[in-house]
Amino acid sequence: MKLLWTVSCFLVLMIVDCHSYLVFPLKMSSAMAKERWRLIPVNVPQRQEGGGLSLALEPGAQINFLAMVDNLQGDSGRGYYLEMLIGTPPQKLNILVDTGSSNFAVAGAPDPDITTYFDTTKSSTYRALDIDVSVQYSQGSWEGVLGMDVIAVHKGLAGNITINIATILESEDFFLPGINWQGILGLAYNTLSKPSSTIETFFDSLVRQEKIPNIFSLQMCGVGQPVAGSGTNRGSLVLGGIEPSLYTGEIWYTPIKEEWYYQVEVLKLEVGGRNLNLDCTMYNADKAIVDSGTTLLRLPQKVFDAVVNAIIHLSLIQDFTDGFWTGSQLACWDKTETPWPYFPDLSIYLRDINTSRSFRLTIQPQMYLQPMLTMYESWKCYRFGISPSSNALVIGAIVMEGFYVIFDRAEKRVGFAVSSCSEVSGSPVSLISGPFITKDVSSNCISTSPLHEPILWIISYTLMSICGLILITLILLLLLPQQQQQQQHSLEGVNDASSLVRHRWK
């Protein structure tokens, strides 16, 4: 499962031997009496590749938006989860919130890494659909069967709605040690639903049955907190609207380029205020998406390399080894020190709904340097929160934690505002600014539009098959006159079998 390798990273950190430290000076000074920072090697497995609306209902209504504030718990490393009640009588499970997939799935059998699961035999309202389903994520996968049952959200959704539920019977690297959730809530479009796009998603069912606006918003409050720590951070998933107390300033919107993932258009990146000067299509190869189920900011390899080189060039510390940038080492400072002054800000430019303009999301080092818990009391260690990707730019949880993100499906746009909880030591660590003119950027930074919708693949293969049959028929028709001429010159050689063949082609 994407984002869950951080849990195993944390477990490894607890047993790292102090003699394996690589020690470098923080800054050269004759007055320095002790080491100020160091690198700790860790065995981290590399991941696999896989408008201003505010709504509130009267008391007693089926959906209460104010009650949805602080209905999430978690962190960027293990994910943010929502408490749900499933079946009749209700069974309580914690469900991971994931804007990068579309299936609603819960554990349907015991697993050594989870404490509970949904027992369909104990629910009088469960209805089996007898449809097998399997989902592969960038890390982790599961297999199960599809059914239907009623659910309620503990905070905000008073009544029951009937939804499609996949019960997970087998999984690999999906449930991992240290997590506190037993299922996943995919909030992307039905295009990504498995086994087919005809499976109605959780949110589509909610909109249809409860008649709420086709919009939800998300706040995750883990900035500056240790990844995979012993505690949990709060967050809010507001289904059907926007809660003004969760953000400051105004909301900036960028168009959804295609309704599968929440695909947006990135125009450029800056490190320390300096443009990377890359072709904008490189940022969107082959897509740029907003995904709460991915821990890090993931960048296409060439973009990642350019960002790292720019940070090294601008940083006051240039002695880091490759291990820090690739995630196999942590950088540790004395607890009296903080690394923030030594690293530059990072900015992502998104196209505005007015396509001739853009706006800028800026995150400070307090966001992309993630605190990690270790067994050493005198040191505070950090992980580099940016990683390379082979197939996408992913605005993951470490960026989303700085912003209140609105997924306005009705207007086909994603909104960003500065989150009310995006602070470290009382100071904001994220910023939105704009508008900026885009005359120096291509009018279209998405070079291709591959077929993502399953039905389009079916149509494509069908058309290819028809063209193939037509081509074969034409070839046979071209060869037929030659065959007939040969048969006319040697009639005495024609037998019953060849006559049948000849007549079939007349």
Side-chain angles (χ1 to χ4, degrees):
M1 177 66 189
K2 51 190 176 181
L3 75 74
L4 293 180
W5 63 270
T6 57
V7 178
S8 54
C9 170
F10 167 69
L11 295 176
V12 171
L13 281 174
M14 298 303 295
I15 59 174
V16 172
D17 189 281
C18 63
H19 296 295
S20 61
Y21 288 170
L22 296 178
V23 181
F24 299 92
L26 177 62
K27 49 188 175 182
M28 301 305 296
S29 172
S30 58
M32 186 177 297
K34 60 179 180 180
E35 304 162 354
R36 308 296 288 276
W37 70 276
R38 59 177 66 178
L39 293 176
I40 297 180
V42 293
N43 296 322
V44 181
Q46 297 301 308
R47 296 169 53 146
Q48 302 298 314
E49 305 283 352
L53 175 66
S54 178
L55 302 171
L57 299 189
E58 67 278 3
Q62 288 289 89
I63 296 181
N64 186 335
F65 296 123
L66 293 178
M68 296 181 188
V69 174
D70 293 344
N71 61 357
L72 301 182
Q73 296 184 64
D75 58 53
S76 62
R78 296 172 298 185
Y80 287 80
Y81 54 85
L82 178 71
E83 183 179 293
M84 284 189 173
L85 303 175
I86 306 175
T88 308
Q91 301 176 43
K92 186 192 301 183
L93 282 81
N94 293 330
I95 308 299
L96 176 72
V97 174
D98 181 22
T99 64
S101 66
S102 299
N103 283 83
F104 180 81
V106 298
D111 186 280
D113 294 318
I114 59 177
T115 56
T116 187
Y117 66 96
F118 176 52
D119 189 342
T120 58
T121 64
K122 294 181 179 180
S123 175
S124 61
T125 49
Y126 178 79
R127 180 162 65 91
L129 298 179
D130 297 325
I131 299 175
D132 293 333
V133 57
S134 62
V135 177
Q136 175 73 49
Y137 302 91
S138 57
Q139 180 176 331
S141 62
W142 56 260
E143 297 179 358
V145 293
L146 202 62
M148 300 186 73
D149 210 334
V150 296
I151 68 98
V153 178
H154 181 63
K155 293 183 178 180
L157 181 59
N160 290 337
I161 65 168
T162 302
I163 61 168
N164 294 305
I165 302 177
T167 50
I168 300 172
L169 303 179
E170 296 182 6
S171 65
E172 182 177 355
D173 296 332
F174 183 74
F175 300 116
L176 294 177
I179 63 170
N180 193 30
W181 47 263
Q182 302 86 36
I184 184 169
L185 172 58
L187 290 171
Y189 291 95
N190 66 322
T191 305
L192 300 179
S193 293
K194 304 297 182 181
S196 78
S197 60
T198 61
I199 303 301
E200 188 174 58
T201 67
F202 166 88
F203 193 69
D204 284 337
S205 297
L206 180 61
V207 170
R208 177 176 57 83
Q209 296 177 44
E210 299 298 328
K211 310 303 180 184
I212 66 171
N214 193 9
I215 179 176
F216 67 90
S217 51
L218 184 60
Q219 181 197 55
M220 301 183 290
C221 296
V223 171
Q225 300 301 314
V227 174
S230 57
T232 57
N233 308 310
R234 61 185 175 88
S236 303
L237 173 63
V238 182
L239 301 167
I242 301 171
E243 172 48 48
S245 65
L246 300 180
Y247 69 94
T248 62
E250 60 182 305
I251 301 173
W252 295 79
Y253 286 95
T254 186
I256 295 174
K257 303 303 293 184
E258 188 168 349
E259 295 170 296
W260 56 321
Y261 298 96
Y262 292 99
Q263 182 179 356
V264 297
E265 187 177 8
V266 176
L267 303 188
K268 64 179 178 179
L269 264 66
E270 289 180 347
V271 176
R274 299 184 182 183
N275 189 353
L276 294 182
N277 289 318
L278 299 176
D279 189 299
C280 67
T281 58
M282 296 179 64
Y283 301 122
N284 301 278
D286 63 346
K287 56 186 175 289
I289 64 175
V290 183
D291 179 11
S292 66
T294 293
T295 299
L296 308 180
L297 170 60
R298 307 197 67 210
L299 302 175
Q301 185 67 59
K302 291 183 179 179
V303 179
F304 174 80
D305 293 341
V307 167
V308 169
N309 288 334
I311 294 176
I312 292 173
H313 178 74
L314 294 174
S315 174
L316 299 179
I317 306 171
Q318 300 187 17
D319 294 330
F320 287 120
T321 63
D322 290 340
F324 173 72
W325 307 112
T326 60
S328 61
Q329 287 182 318
L330 303 179
C332 299
W333 273 260
D334 187 285
K335 283 198 170 182
T336 61
E337 297 278 341
T338 58
W340 322 134
Y342 306 103
F343 289 84
D345 294 348
L346 177 66
S347 297
I348 302 172
Y349 285 74
L350 298 174
R351 192 179 296 278
D352 189 76
I353 51 174
N354 178 341
T355 57
S356 65
R357 306 188 314 182
S358 67
F359 62 92
R360 178 176 66 201
L361 307 178
T362 298
I363 62 173
Q364 295 182 359
Q366 289 92 324
M367 292 182 62
Y368 68 79
L369 294 180
Q370 294 185 295
M372 302 291 292
L373 290 181
T374 69
M375 61 186 297
Y376 303 103
E377 296 183 357
S378 59
W379 296 90
K380 193 167 185 178
C381 300
Y382 302 85
R383 179 186 66 179
F384 189 52
I386 307 174
S387 69
S389 167
S390 63
N391 62 353
L393 185 151
V394 184
I395 299 175
I398 72 154
V399 177
M400 294 179 69
E401 284 181 333
F403 304 94
Y404 183 49
V405 186
I406 297 94
F407 297 85
D408 188 350
R409 296 152 60 100
E411 298 295 332
K412 292 187 62 175
R413 59 187 184 175
V414 177
F416 294 85
V418 174
S419 172
S420 58
C421 63
S422 177
E423 294 183 348
V424 174
S425 301
S427 299
V429 292
S430 61
L431 175 69
I432 303 181
S433 51
F436 303 98
I437 302 301
T438 59
K439 61 183 180 180
D440 59 332
V441 181
S442 170
S443 60
N444 180 20
C445 293
I446 302 176
S447 56
T448 60
S449 182
L451 295 176
H452 305 302
E453 169 74 61
I455 190 63
L456 293 181
W457 285 107
I458 296 174
I459 294 173
S460 176
Y461 283 120
T462 301
L463 291 175
M464 290 171 61
S465 300
I466 293 173
C467 290
L469 289 173
I470 293 174
L471 181 60
I472 293 173
T473 302
L474 290 174
I475 293 174
L476 291 174
L477 290 175
L478 289 172
L479 294 176
L480 181 60
Q482 298 179 6
Q483 181 182 6
Q484 291 177 334
Q485 290 176 5
Q486 293 174 357
Q487 290 171 341
Q488 290 173 355
H489 287 298
S490 55
L491 292 176
E492 61 279 359
V494 176
N495 53 34
D496 289 342
S498 61
S499 297
L500 286 173
V501 172
R502 183 176 62 180
H503 290 304
R504 285 175 183 156
W505 286 107
K506 279 187 174 179

